[in-house]
Amino acid sequence: MLIIDAQVHIWKAGKASAHHLRGRPDPFTLEELRLEMRAAGVDGAVLAPPAWDPNGNEPSMDVARAFPGRFAVTGDFDWRAGSDPKRIEHWRRSGMHGLRLIFNTPEKQAYLTSGAVEWIWQTAERADVPIMLLIPGALAHVAEIARRHPELRLCVDHLGIPRGAKDADAFEHWPELLALARHPNISVKAGGIPSYSSIDTYPYPSLQGRLRQVYDAFGPERMFWASDLTRMTCPYREVVTLFSEGIPWLSSQDRRLIMGESVCRWLGWTPCNS
């Protein structure tokens, strides 16, 4: 089984968000990531350039250019600077496999209602560029974007769970999340799962029912496993085996899809394990 982590951050500079430090000093380098991947049995990863690195997408892009069979990039850009369709139209030519956009505050989410970012969805749909969205507390916007742009591939990051939310508080939005499954162009990223429980440990029985609901709604073709490694306090290998071994109701085919095949198809990326 080829295991592809659908979200990892690496960075060279800038001050990381406190919940991403795991007790480590900045930065988190390719060398550290490769050591962790080797120990955890992870073959490749989708790199999400973090907003705090002033170098932007380049550290991740350098890695993907050097190891195109191991790493893909879902890049970010300053969408608040105004309309720039050419940037998205030429995204894939630069080696990017998609976008990851962050609408995680009321100020950023206001752009979704003003029409100021409509050009992004229009351009990405036309250019066939998939988009991952960090958009907690605003899933109704995802449904509306998907409805207006049925050929645009959208993925909801971290199952729409707000930063720091745990246990029952993490799942207050669950009906809204599951309802998104009616839109065939919406997928979900099951990232950082161990961080959403404060009441149990591996294999996190309190979360298994929630994951089954996501699986039943979206299916393994639209459910992507991710670690969000740099904010995990448990071993990387444990985040991997929660899905690859610790969920008894997943078939071997389900595991292959969720653990990497589905996100690679979604991105149009062909990794290798050689």
Side-chain angles (χ1 to χ4, degrees):
M1 179 170 62
L2 191 68
I3 297 178
I4 303 295
D5 194 332
Q7 182 176 314
V8 179
H9 300 303
I10 59 171
W11 64 93
K12 287 187 174 182
K15 183 62 176 176
S17 300
H19 69 303
H20 273 282
L21 294 178
R22 298 180 65 201
R24 303 165 182 248
D26 287 345
F28 186 65
T29 65
L30 171 64
E31 291 72 25
E32 290 178 286
L33 174 58
R34 295 185 74 183
L35 285 173
E36 293 252 19
M37 290 171 62
R38 191 175 300 118
V42 175
D43 299 294
V46 180
L47 302 177
W52 57 77
D53 190 337
N55 299 296
N57 295 318
E58 282 310 303
S60 295
M61 286 302 303
D62 289 344
V63 169
R65 292 185 190 107
F67 306 99
R70 296 281 186 178
F71 301 99
V73 178
T74 52
D76 193 9
F77 69 97
D78 185 7
W79 43 264
R80 287 173 288 190
S83 177
D84 187 8
K86 288 186 177 180
R87 191 167 193 172
I88 295 176
E89 290 168 355
H90 297 293
W91 205 256
R92 286 192 180 276
R93 295 185 191 178
S94 69
M96 297 280 187
H97 281 82
L99 291 163
R100 180 175 185 260
L101 304 180
I102 300 173
F103 295 91
N104 61 347
T105 66
E107 182 270 332
K108 292 176 181 177
Q109 290 169 5
Y111 284 79
L112 298 170
T113 56
S114 69
V117 294
E118 180 64 20
W119 67 273
I120 296 177
W121 325 126
Q122 293 173 347
T123 308
E125 182 178 34
R126 183 173 62 248
D128 194 28
V129 175
I131 298 179
M132 294 181 173
L133 289 171
L134 181 62
I135 189 167
L139 295 185
H141 290 295
V142 183
E144 181 59 22
I145 295 165
R147 185 192 64 78
R148 293 198 310 271
H149 304 282
E151 301 302 317
L152 174 61
R153 283 168 286 162
L154 298 166
C155 178
V156 176
D157 274 12
H158 307 323
L159 302 175
I161 297 173
R163 178 187 294 181
K166 295 180 182 293
D167 308 323
D169 290 342
F171 304 105
E172 289 183 351
H173 69 295
W174 222 235
E176 192 175 11
L177 175 74
L178 299 178
L180 293 179
R182 68 169 62 100
H183 301 278
N185 54 329
I186 297 179
S187 301
V188 290
K189 185 192 296 179
I193 297 301
S195 67
Y196 305 131
S197 174
S198 66
I199 60 177
D200 53 14
T201 58
Y202 185 91
Y204 306 97
S206 68
L207 303 178
Q208 298 249 355
R210 299 292 188 178
L211 293 173
R212 182 58 191 258
Q213 290 175 320
V214 174
Y215 170 88
D216 288 343
F218 289 90
E221 294 85 1
R222 294 192 288 151
M223 183 178 181
F224 312 148
W225 168 78
S227 73
D228 206 13
L229 173 61
T230 50
R231 69 179 176 91
M232 293 297 98
T233 57
C234 62
Y236 195 9
R237 180 64 182 164
E238 189 175 287
V239 189
V240 175
T241 58
L242 173 60
F243 278 82
S244 66
E245 301 173 12
I247 299 178
W249 39 265
L250 289 177
S251 69
S252 58
Q253 174 66 2
D254 291 336
R255 292 188 177 97
R256 286 195 298 271
L257 290 167
I258 293 170
M259 296 300 294
E261 288 185 17
S262 291
V263 73
C264 291
R265 291 175 187 171
W266 188 82
L267 290 170
W269 172 45
T270 304
C272 65
N273 58 2
S274 61

